[in-house]
Amino acid sequence: MKAQFGLDDPSILHQYGRYLGQLLHGNLGVSYVNYPSPVADVMLKALPWTLGTVLIATLLSYLVGWLIGIRGAWKSGSFFDNSTLFTAFFLNSVPFFWIAIIFIMIFSFYLGWFPLGQAMDPDIDSFSVWEKIMSIVNHAFLPVFTLIIATLAGHILVLRNNLMRVLSEDYMLLAKAKGVSVRRRKYMYGARNALLPSFTGLMTSLGHVIGGAITTEIVFSYPGVGLVTFNAILNHDYPLIQGSFLFIAISVIVCNLIADLLYPLLDPRVVLN
């Protein structure tokens, strides 16, 4: 067992060197808890569940926050803007797990509209294809909805504040004086120039998608990367911990690189060196 897990060598440096050598070949080791399953297989099994929920929730949260932030900045001081700000500040101070618990208590326990947890029904193998899809969607709705509500406030506040700064620029006043339509001033002149910092936040969020929302997946017992990482930490499954953190680190780096490459398309003033 020690030889299989690479612990037969008394030198930690030699163990680390062997680990790096295996890593270059795509071998992340064998999971202690899920023995004899390789770490890569455990991660790839959990990855689709995380991508299917956190990725969708992140994109929808960004889109809805983008639209609300633009309208709030354009109607600054209105009832819509004030109520949106109050709601956003409240949601921004509420932790993920609290929102998840409240939703489970209301929509699952009392109303019985959605399952209490897991990603599918236990007897899903006996379902038809359409019933399997509906079972997965039914189990994923509350986790996705929770993540949307929990992350929506940040996107609203960032884009609204950026657009408020852009609206005070001289070129916006000049566009209004020249008779440019409201729609064009709002989206092409205002929102586009306010988008860059918000786009950075979106790509950073997408980079953390692989890690999943650990607290949300724990509350819903959803078998994503976040729950796998949490269980690995509790069980001292070091190869799986290393593999999950490596997945998360690579995803963050790749998304940041993609953001840097897309910046010139969003803002021509950004020049790649």
Side-chain angles (χ1 to χ4, degrees), residues 150-184:
T151 58
L152 183 63
H155 297 310
I156 294 175
L157 295 175
V158 170
L159 191 61
R160 178 193 178 277
N161 293 336
N162 291 333
L163 187 54
M164 288 289 293
R165 174 183 55 80
V166 171
L167 292 178
S168 63
E169 298 288 344
D170 293 337
Y171 66 83
M172 293 297 296
L173 181 61
L174 176 62
K176 183 178 181 180
K178 291 173 64 177
V180 179
S181 65
V182 174
R183 183 181 182 86
R184 185 174 180 83

Side-chain angles (χ1 to χ4, degrees), residues 22 28-29 37-38 42 47 49 52 54 64 93 106 139 144 158 171 175 185 199-200 259 262 264 269:
Q22 294 293 327
L28 301 177
S37 298
V42 177
L47 190 59
W49 300 110
V54 184
V64 175
S93 61
I106 295 176
H139 283 76
V144 170
V158 170
Y171 66 83
R185 283 188 287 122
F199 180 74
T200 304
L262 292 179
R269 295 171 296 182

Side-chain angles (χ1 to χ4, degrees), residues 135 182 245:
S135 175
V182 174
F245 287 166

Side-chain angles (χ1 to χ4, degrees), residues 232-253:
I233 295 173
L234 290 181
N235 294 294
H236 303 284
D237 192 344
Y238 298 112
L240 186 54
I241 295 173
Q242 290 175 314
S244 62
F245 287 166
L246 180 64
F247 267 69
I248 296 171
I250 291 176
S251 64
V252 172
I253 294 173

Side-chain angles (χ1 to χ4, degrees), residues 3-270:
Q4 185 173 10
F5 288 108
L7 303 176
D8 55 329
D9 194 329
S11 174
I12 297 180
L13 292 178
H14 288 170
Q15 291 182 21
Y16 184 60
R18 291 167 58 184
Y19 168 75
L20 293 179
Q22 294 293 327
L23 187 61
L24 293 176
H25 292 83
N27 184 3
L28 301 177
V30 178
S31 172
Y32 292 169
V33 177
N34 301 280
Y35 182 85
S37 298
V39 170
D41 291 351
V42 177
M43 295 298 299
L44 292 176
K45 185 177 179 180
L47 190 59
W49 300 110
T50 294
L51 291 178
T53 55
V54 184
L55 182 60
I56 293 175
T58 301
L59 294 176
L60 289 178
S61 175
Y62 180 80
L63 178 61
V64 175
W66 189 69
L67 295 175
I68 295 177
I70 291 176
R71 182 176 179 184
W74 197 260
K75 301 289 185 180
S76 177
S78 64
F79 174 78
F80 176 83
D81 183 44
N82 293 332
S83 59
T84 299
L85 282 178
F86 174 80
T87 305
F89 281 122
F90 172 76
L91 292 177
N92 205 36
S93 61
V94 176
F96 280 26
F97 68 87
W98 187 83
I99 297 178
I101 292 173
I102 293 298
F103 283 169
I104 287 179
M105 182 179 67
I106 295 176
F107 297 109
S108 297
F109 185 75
Y110 287 116
L111 298 178
W113 292 353
F114 301 99
L116 290 170
Q118 300 298 325
M120 62 183 74
D121 291 305
D123 54 344
I124 193 171
D125 292 335
S126 61
F127 292 177
S128 64
V129 176
W130 176 249
E131 289 175 337
K132 291 180 180 179
I133 295 176
M134 292 305 300
S135 175
I136 294 174
V137 171
N138 193 34
H139 283 76
F141 183 86
L142 274 187
V144 170
F145 188 58
T146 299
L147 291 173
I148 292 175
I149 298 300
T151 58
L152 183 63
H155 297 310
I156 294 175
L157 295 175
V158 170
L159 191 61
R160 178 193 178 277
N161 293 336
N162 291 333
L163 187 54
M164 288 289 293
R165 174 183 55 80
V166 171
L167 292 178
S168 63
E169 298 288 344
D170 293 337
Y171 66 83
M172 293 297 296
L173 181 61
L174 176 62
K176 183 178 181 180
K178 291 173 64 177
V180 179
S181 65
V182 174
R183 183 181 182 86
R184 185 174 180 83
R185 283 188 287 122
K186 181 188 296 186
Y187 294 104
M188 297 301 297
Y189 287 36
R192 184 177 180 181
N193 289 309
L195 184 63
L196 202 59
S198 181
F199 180 74
T200 304
L202 170 65
M203 296 307 295
T204 303
S205 300
L206 289 179
H208 289 88
V209 160
I210 301 300
I214 295 180
T215 53
T216 303
E217 290 185 356
I218 292 172
V219 173
F220 287 100
S221 299
Y222 206 79
V225 176
L227 184 60
V228 168
T229 304
F230 177 73
N231 290 332
I233 295 173
L234 290 181
N235 294 294
H236 303 284
D237 192 344
Y238 298 112
L240 186 54
I241 295 173
Q242 290 175 314
S244 62
F245 287 166
L246 180 64
F247 267 69
I248 296 171
I250 291 176
S251 64
V252 172
I253 294 173
V254 170
C255 287
N256 285 335
L257 177 61
I258 294 175
D260 290 337
L261 295 176
L262 292 179
Y263 280 162
L265 300 179
L266 298 175
D267 190 345
R269 295 171 296 182
V270 177

